[in-house]
Amino acid sequence: MISQIFDLVEISYSSSNASSYIIESHIKREEKVNIMRSDNVIKGAERAPNRSLFYAMGYTEEELSRPLIGVICAHSEIVPGHIHLDKIAEAVKAGIRMAGGTPVLMPAIGVCDGIAMGHVGMKYSLASRELIADSVETMTMAHGMDGLVLIPNCDKIVPGMVMAAVRLDIPAVVCSGGPMLPGSYDGQHASLSKLFEAVGAYKAGMIDECKLHECETGACPGCGSCAGMYTANSMNCLCEAIGIALPGNGTIPAVSNKRIMLAKHAGMAIMNLVEKNITARQIVNKTSLLNALACDMALGCSSNSVLHLLAIANEAGVDFDLELFNTTSDRVPNLCHLAPAGHTHIVDLDNAGGIPAVQAELLKKNLIDKNALTVTGKTVGENIQGAYIKDETNIRPIDNPYSETGGIQILWGNIAPNGSVVKRSAVAPEMLKHSGPARVFNSEDEAINAIYNGKIVDGDVVVIRYEGPVGGPGMREMLNPTSALAGMKLDKTVALITDGRFSGASRGASIGHVSPEAACDGPIGLIEEGDIITIDIPAASINAKITDEEFAKRKAKYVKPEPNIKTGWLARYAKLVDSADKGAIMKQ
């Protein structure tokens, strides 16, 4: 698949065309005034002071005569998915220069969800998506970039950057850092989700400290976004499916030479987009978002992709709602069972043909639109021509799927009048329908203590509330509780419901994004210990056996708790953020 992708990319940048393309791109600024956004910053006598500041940094007159391309890179030394992004940025810059542009490196922040997991740090993760989008907008508008190459890799950085690109509507290409290779544990491939589950097994006395340490030191072998179909890799794959990233973006391993080649081609691609003035909204639109949603269902992506696709659609001015997820799930089969749903990882998806192979299968039944434009300058259909499945153990053929329905399901009911989300492909068949007594907790911390202390038993429905966008604030991921249940072998007998959300590494009947959330007077805040909760995932329903009259009585005596965070920017975020069913976007 890797060689196929680069054969594809080389079509646009073959040696026979490259030199003439570079010469054509190196057109004097005066001849390109109609599309050069940086003219506002550096053109004309009145901008002499501005140019002087560029000269202070060592830019030459020749560099300032070319398009200025913002290379916004989230490199840091606190995120394993980002530790190597400086190398990706250098390759992108080389590609931009080869194609006649001037790269301008600028920073972006990024939270490591794994490191932030299980404590107050996780409150900052989803909220940081908005900071990232705003900072990309700020740096781009303040300095007049003609185009952007966005270099994220992990969970909220990817959608945050895409949201900014679509908001700004300028030429943009996403070039992620690529997935981590799987590690090893107990003689088998493993990734971060296995380690979180090992903690639950250790707490239950099922493994000893030596085995836990073996998993701890073996699960994450190097740089890259964690190796399963978790949120980071989900969004990197969906960027490819949307068309805002080059083929291979979602699956080429971080440590592969092909990742550096991809970055160089991303630098070349942005110059083509600038030359033709192809902007982000020409690529990210209703058609491409529906293509991404179809791939989401086929791949079995993280439930967090619901939040992010809704938020990207909002920035693009596209009407997108939760109903679309179920109507798409009804017609698009699930073709992949990557970790945590199965035992394979993103490198296996890459070896099997990657996203082009998945798209080619979907196209067989007209489940995607092949005419959607992409950053290659070509359509989806042109990009995937000749793509095929190379390993049917990692990508099922369209006529032999894991299930006839997609990987994500939206549930409604008296607990979630505005909807809730479950990663259906990671739910055991015996848990697709479940009924049991509610075990109610007002925070993740309370719930995890109960799980670790053996207070949750077969049949229970764990309810965690006041963890939504407003109530958290920040809508923490619940990977610790779900992994503890899985590690204790309770994932096939216990369900978990929350107005927070779940990591892409979660598996089991983990139902999140319950809307309205408890902090916004949602009925999940009125559930009491022992209430019977009925879940029917195939029927898209989730209900408590409580009458409307009983709900009304409870609401009359309900007292809302004090906010969890009262200072800092998270307190401001809590006042401005919209509900999960709207993508946890900022209220307009």
Side-chain angles (χ1 to χ4, degrees):
M1 194 278 288
I2 292 175
S3 60
Q4 175 190 336
I5 286 171
F6 282 92
D7 287 344
L8 170 86
V9 176
E10 288 292 343
I11 291 171
S12 296
Y13 307 110
S14 64
S15 58
S16 61
N17 296 328
S19 59
S20 62
Y21 173 71
I22 293 171
I23 292 168
E24 289 170 4
S25 294
H26 190 46
I27 296 173
K28 292 296 183 182
R29 181 171 296 277
E30 300 80 54
E31 299 174 36
K32 303 294 291 181
V33 292
N34 59 322
I35 62 169
M36 297 292 279
R37 295 161 181 83
S38 56
D39 285 351
N40 292 327
V41 176
I42 57 177
K43 184 181 178 184
E46 67 278 10
R47 294 292 182 257
N50 308 52
R51 292 193 296 275
S52 181
L53 293 169
F54 276 91
Y55 299 148
M57 294 180 280
Y59 289 90
T60 66
E61 290 184 12
E62 291 82 2
E63 286 175 302
L64 297 188
S65 74
R66 301 169 180 173
L68 299 185
I69 307 300
V71 179
I72 301 188
C73 178
H75 169 253
S76 73
E77 296 182 353
I78 192 61
V79 186
H82 292 192
I83 190 73
H84 65 304
L85 293 189
D86 55 336
K87 308 300 188 299
I88 302 297
E90 287 303 315
V92 167
K93 289 162 64 179
I96 291 169
R97 290 192 181 102
M98 283 191 282
T102 297
V104 181
L105 184 65
M106 296 184 283
I109 66 167
V111 171
C112 177
D113 277 22
I115 294 174
M117 195 72 67
H119 56 90
V120 68
M122 181 47 70
K123 294 179 184 289
Y124 286 85
S125 174
L126 179 61
S128 74
R129 186 187 71 180
E130 313 309 313
L131 287 183
I132 291 160
D134 291 350
S135 65
V136 171
E137 175 189 358
T138 299
M139 296 300 286
T140 302
M141 296 300 293
H143 303 106
M145 296 295 105
D146 296 305
L148 296 174
V149 178
L150 304 163
I151 308 177
N153 209 26
C154 291
D155 294 34
K156 311 310 165 300
I157 302 89
V158 181
M161 287 188 174
V162 176
M163 288 163 63
V166 176
R167 182 188 303 172
L168 293 164
D169 194 25
I170 68 172
V173 177
V174 172
C175 180
S176 73
M180 186 185 294
L181 294 176
S184 62
Y185 170 61
D186 212 19
Q188 297 182 333
H189 280 164
S191 53
L192 190 65
S193 58
K194 180 64 70 176
L195 180 52
F196 275 93
E197 292 176 13
V199 173
Y202 173 74
K203 292 284 187 178
M206 300 169 70
I207 63 172
D208 61 19
E209 191 171 347
C210 288
K211 292 300 290 182
L212 179 62
H213 187 259
E214 177 191 336
C215 191
E216 177 182 340
T217 55
C220 299
C223 66
S225 47
C226 296
M229 188 54 82
Y230 312 145
T231 305
N233 290 324
S234 293
M235 294 311 301
N236 285 326
C237 289
L238 293 184
C239 282
E240 189 177 331
I242 289 171
I244 196 71
L246 293 174
N249 180 76
T251 60
I252 296 172
V255 295
S256 171
N257 63 318
K258 304 300 184 186
R259 179 59 58 175
I260 298 297
M261 294 167 65
L262 181 81
K264 291 177 181 177
H265 283 114
M268 297 177 192
I270 189 60
M271 296 308 300
N272 185 45
L273 297 180
V274 169
E275 180 78 14
K276 296 177 179 177
N277 200 26
I278 298 174
T279 64
R281 289 196 189 186
Q282 291 172 254
I283 292 170
V284 183
N285 50 44
K286 186 68 171 278
T287 298
S288 65
L289 287 167
L290 288 174
N291 278 352
L293 187 51
C295 285
D296 192 332
M297 297 300 170
L299 291 166
C301 290
S302 164
S303 58
N304 284 316
S305 65
V306 176
L307 288 173
H308 301 322
L309 288 176
L310 289 170
I312 292 167
N314 175 70
E315 295 288 359
V318 170
D319 184 23
F320 222 68
D321 58 32
L322 291 181
E323 290 283 357
L324 274 173
F325 287 81
N326 274 5
T327 56
T328 304
S329 181
D330 287 345
R331 65 189 185 89
V332 178
N334 179 224
L335 306 181
C336 301
H337 264 193
L338 297 145
H343 300 291
T344 55
H345 297 85
I346 300 297
V347 66
D348 301 305
L349 175 61
D350 188 66
N351 291 334
I355 306 309
V358 173
Q359 290 174 311
E361 286 301 299
L362 295 177
L363 189 57
K364 289 178 180 178
K365 294 196 175 181
N366 295 316
L367 295 172
I368 59 170
D369 190 328
K370 67 179 181 179
N371 296 313
L373 182 64
T374 75
V375 292
T376 65
K378 301 178 182 295
T379 64
V380 169
E382 290 172 313
N383 285 352
I384 66 174
Q385 189 171 9
Y388 66 98
I389 298 174
K390 299 180 179 181
D391 183 350
E392 293 186 1
T393 63
N394 291 306
I395 304 173
R396 290 272 188 97
I398 194 78
D399 292 322
N400 182 33
Y402 283 100
S403 66
E404 294 294 338
T405 53
I408 288 177
Q409 184 84 28
I410 309 300
L411 312 182
W412 283 273
N414 63 3
I415 294 174
N418 295 344
S420 59
V421 180
V422 63
K423 184 172 179 175
R424 179 174 180 165
S425 59
V427 179
E430 55 264 48
M431 288 298 290
L432 291 173
K433 295 183 179 181
H434 180 77
S435 185
R439 305 298 309 281
V440 182
F441 305 95
N442 286 341
S443 72
E444 178 191 11
D445 311 271
E446 292 180 14
I448 195 66
N449 285 335
I451 294 169
Y452 283 160
N453 288 307
K455 296 181 179 179
I456 303 302
V457 299
D458 289 348
D460 284 347
V461 178
V462 177
V463 178
I464 306 176
R465 58 197 184 188
Y466 300 104
E467 290 285 6
V470 174
M475 205 177 180
R476 285 198 287 184
E477 288 185 343
M478 304 291 159
L479 181 54
N480 279 343
T482 58
S483 298
L485 291 172
M488 294 174 175
K489 308 300 182 185
L490 293 172
D491 57 301
K492 296 181 179 180
T493 58
V494 172
L496 198 155
I497 300 170
T498 181
D499 52 10
R501 60 196 177 91
F502 295 107
S503 166
S506 293
R507 62 186 173 97
S510 305
I511 300 160
H513 308 198
V514 170
S515 300
E517 61 177 289
C520 295
D521 301 324
I524 189 174
L526 304 177
I527 295 173
E528 296 180 357
E529 189 82 5
D531 287 341
I532 300 300
I533 308 293
T534 300
I535 300 162
D536 190 336
I537 293 174
S541 70
I542 180 169
N543 289 283
K545 291 187 176 179
I546 304 171
T547 64
D548 292 342
E549 292 76 15
E550 177 60 22
F551 263 132
K553 288 179 184 178
R554 293 182 186 183
K555 190 170 184 178
K557 60 182 182 180
Y558 170 76
V559 178
K560 186 182 296 186
E562 287 289 310
N564 288 320
I565 301 288
K566 299 180 181 179
T567 59
W569 73 269
L570 273 183
R572 297 196 302 273
Y573 174 85
K575 294 177 181 178
L576 296 171
V577 69
D578 214 329
S579 63
D581 64 293
K582 302 291 180 60
I585 59 174
M586 295 293 96
K587 293 176 182 175
Q588 301 299 311

